[in-house]
Amino acid sequence: MSVQHALTDFLENAQSDVSQLATFSEHIPDEWVQSAAALSSQATIRRRRLPNDMVLWLVVGMAFFRNEPIAEVARRLNICADGLADEALLAKSALTQARQRLGKEALKWLFRQCAQRWGAERYPDDNWQGLQVFAIDGALFRTQENTELREHFGSGNTVGPRQTPYPVLRLVTLMNVRSHIIMDADISPYRKGEIPLAQPFIDSLPNNSVTLLDKGFYGANLLMNITLGGSNRHWLLPAKKGVVYRVVDARDSNDKYIEMTVSPQARKKNPDLPATWQVRAVTYEVANKEKTVFTSLPKEQYSAEDVAALYHERWEIELGYRDIKSSMQHNAMTLRSKTVELVYQELWGLLLGYNLVRREASQAAIAHGRAPNEISFKYACQYIASQLRVMSKALSPGNTPKRLQALRGDLSVLFIEKRPRPSRPRAVKISKTRYPVNHKASPLK
């Protein structure tokens, strides 16, 4: 039986057994939800029929039902303080006003409160040679096209007359590589770079850890802060082309120490940086091509082969972005909100929804003696979305995080076998244009 068929059969059986819903565990304490709701941009004394705590769950629910209108999401989750909501209460304008009252800070605070707690949780065999493994990377999301969003977020090629068809925002995250839970995140307009967004994450890194990055994060200030900001904290990233260095230890040409000059720009931002710094350069071969990575991991403890193999785990954060954009957003490239405040709110809710799935998947994996990243995110997300449909008839949206423990035994159908990442040649992306691309155009003859 295929995973998809097993999942379908289980969901059909679950729809007839709502009585077990009361045994679900609590992921998010009620006091966290109330604290987040209290951060709404518009304070109110009276108890509304669409209160902030309910609207908060509506925004999270939007992450699980991307292809459905927001009014339908509200109806499914029964977003109302007084039982079933009427048509006027679920009107598009009423829901938009409720989301505007809530604002973005509530979702942002709740995401970070949960992320810091869940991302630091330990699981069996969740380390690499005694070190926890994290990754930092960025991704782009596009928004609806209007003047307010374009002026705030900007887009590609904004210096010249040509621009991307949609405004674009930048997301940078810190992920626990073994559980795939996002520990921290920040969102900004497109024009802000990844390194400034990642800099505050350094304080969140625990001792005895290694952080994987791509070459876009190459910078002495960021990397040295990782090692100097804690005990036994290390980093690993691919070598950047054109870097000028001096070989310090050349006894092994494929595993050597090099010395580089810290740029004047970096020392201007941080006068405490030294004039030079040393890093370890490990060279290895992949598909008959030489690759080099820089790292702070010392030779005495970590072999070149192990370091080279570890770097390939950086792909796990790319899989996390794929899960968000493909499994949760159903490949819808554009966020649905149309104002700056609600775009931020929607994306924070999307990240919180992603972490809810990942944490439940991690808990289920441990119950079955498996690794957290061995559960199919796609099917786990479908499973939880289906449960939300069923459970909304019996429980209020505020109880949404309490519904999952009793069904963990049935999540065994969601395990997948880990396969090595296929090696494909890099492809040149299509050039940016202000005109939409017609994918249905007839081929030239």
Side-chain angles (χ1 to χ4, degrees):
M1 179 183 293
S2 68
V3 173
Q4 180 65 64
H5 288 159
L7 175 67
T8 302
D9 291 343
F10 172 73
L11 294 178
E12 289 175 352
N13 295 331
Q15 306 231 355
S16 61
D17 187 8
V18 184
S19 61
Q20 61 182 335
L21 302 181
T23 63
F24 280 87
S25 65
E26 178 177 345
H27 282 295
I28 304 178
D30 289 339
E31 55 267 27
W32 291 5
V33 177
Q34 298 303 323
S35 297
L39 297 174
S40 62
S41 58
Q42 298 182 26
T44 178
I45 298 177
R46 64 188 177 94
R47 177 68 171 175
R48 297 178 178 272
R49 292 185 65 195
L50 288 176
N52 288 331
D53 54 344
M54 299 289 191
V55 179
L56 187 149
W57 287 116
L58 168 63
V59 178
V60 177
M62 289 166 53
F64 291 97
F65 305 106
R66 176 60 179 84
N67 290 336
E68 297 184 13
I70 297 178
E72 177 63 18
V73 178
R75 186 190 68 79
R76 286 189 183 280
L77 298 181
N78 193 21
I79 303 295
C80 181
D82 304 317
L84 296 178
D86 53 32
E87 293 298 326
L89 198 60
L90 296 184
K92 182 178 179 181
S93 58
L95 294 173
T96 300
Q97 291 172 9
R99 290 183 59 201
Q100 289 171 341
R101 288 195 303 270
L102 179 66
K104 65 181 180 181
E105 292 302 322
L107 271 300
K108 179 179 179 180
W109 182 90
L110 187 58
F111 162 78
R112 285 187 165 161
Q113 183 76 3
C114 297
Q116 291 170 8
R117 179 73 62 86
W118 300 344
E121 290 176 335
R122 301 302 302 267
Y123 298 96
D125 301 323
D126 69 345
N127 64 76
W128 176 83
Q129 300 194 23
L131 302 178
Q132 282 187 278
V133 185
F134 300 93
I136 296 177
D137 202 3
L140 299 178
F141 288 79
R142 74 184 192 186
T143 72
Q144 301 287 331
E145 172 61 80
N146 63 46
T147 302
E148 177 190 358
L149 296 180
R150 185 169 287 277
E151 288 180 350
H152 178 82
F153 291 110
S155 59
N157 293 345
T158 53
V159 176
R162 299 177 63 202
Q163 296 183 351
T164 51
Y166 292 87
V168 179
L169 59 83
R170 191 182 301 280
L171 168 69
V172 175
T173 64
L174 167 65
M175 176 181 285
N176 184 319
V177 168
R178 298 301 173 89
S179 68
H180 281 206
I181 288 177
I182 296 175
M183 277 190 65
D184 207 345
D186 206 355
I187 307 167
S188 80
Y190 174 81
R191 55 186 169 269
K192 189 170 183 179
E194 291 180 332
I195 291 181
L197 291 174
Q199 192 70 50
F201 299 167
I202 304 307
D203 295 334
S204 303
L205 292 171
N207 296 330
N208 303 309
S209 64
V210 57
T211 303
L212 314 179
L213 310 101
D214 70 13
K215 63 181 64 178
F217 292 90
Y218 178 86
N221 188 36
L222 177 71
L223 299 178
M224 293 181 71
N225 281 340
I226 292 177
T227 55
L228 299 177
S231 173
N232 199 27
R233 299 197 322 190
H234 300 282
W235 52 265
L236 175 63
L237 85 172
K240 192 174 182 180
K241 278 188 177 182
V243 174
V244 178
Y245 58 83
R246 180 179 67 86
V247 177
V248 176
D249 180 4
R251 286 177 292 180
D252 184 349
S253 60
N254 293 327
D255 189 4
K256 57 194 176 186
Y257 283 102
I258 61 175
E259 184 178 79
M260 298 178 289
T261 301
V262 178
S263 68
Q265 295 84 356
R267 298 191 68 193
K268 184 177 180 180
K269 293 179 180 178
N270 185 357
D272 294 332
L273 293 178
T276 61
W277 61 313
Q278 292 186 7
V279 303
R280 179 184 176 190
V282 175
T283 301
Y284 60 99
E285 190 174 283
V286 176
N288 297 322
K289 292 184 179 179
E290 282 194 346
K291 306 286 184 180
T292 300
V293 293
F294 291 164
T295 184
S296 63
L297 293 165
K299 278 186 180 184
E300 297 77 17
Q301 293 177 257
Y302 310 100
S303 68
E305 293 77 12
D306 290 341
V307 169
L310 173 63
Y311 175 70
H312 290 276
E313 290 197 39
R314 196 198 70 81
W315 185 251
E316 299 296 327
I317 194 171
E318 302 286 359
L319 296 179
Y321 283 133
R322 183 202 63 182
D323 292 335
I324 293 173
K325 292 186 174 183
S326 178
S327 299
M328 300 191 75
Q329 291 292 93
H330 301 287
N331 294 317
M333 300 177 64
T334 308
L335 299 174
R336 65 171 87 189
S337 302
K338 297 181 180 180
T339 67
V340 171
E341 183 85 356
L342 297 188
V343 165
Y344 282 107
Q345 181 194 82
E346 179 182 350
L347 192 48
W348 285 119
L350 180 61
L351 295 176
L352 178 56
Y354 167 84
N355 268 359
L356 277 168
V357 178
R358 273 297 172 198
R359 185 171 193 259
E360 178 54 33
S362 297
Q363 298 292 324
I366 297 306
H368 287 274
R370 304 285 291 272
N373 58 8
E374 289 184 294
I375 282 189
S376 166
F377 180 90
K378 176 181 178 180
Y379 295 135
C381 187
Q382 291 176 356
Y383 170 87
I384 291 176
S386 298
Q387 291 304 311
L388 293 179
R389 290 189 179 97
V390 178
M391 300 170 193
S392 61
K393 300 176 182 179
L395 299 172
S396 65
N399 289 322
T400 297
K402 300 178 180 179
R403 306 167 180 173
L404 300 170
Q405 184 177 18
L407 300 179
R408 282 183 191 158
D410 299 289
L411 284 175
S412 58
V413 301
L414 306 182
F415 285 108
I416 57 175
E417 295 300 325
K418 297 289 288 183
R419 297 182 298 272
R421 180 168 71 93
S423 178
R424 299 187 180 94
R426 299 181 69 88
V428 178
K429 293 182 179 180
I430 187 172
S431 61
K432 296 181 177 68
T433 173
R434 70 192 327 173
Y435 304 107
V437 178
N438 183 5
H439 294 288
K440 298 182 180 179
S442 301
L444 297 176
K445 296 181 179 181

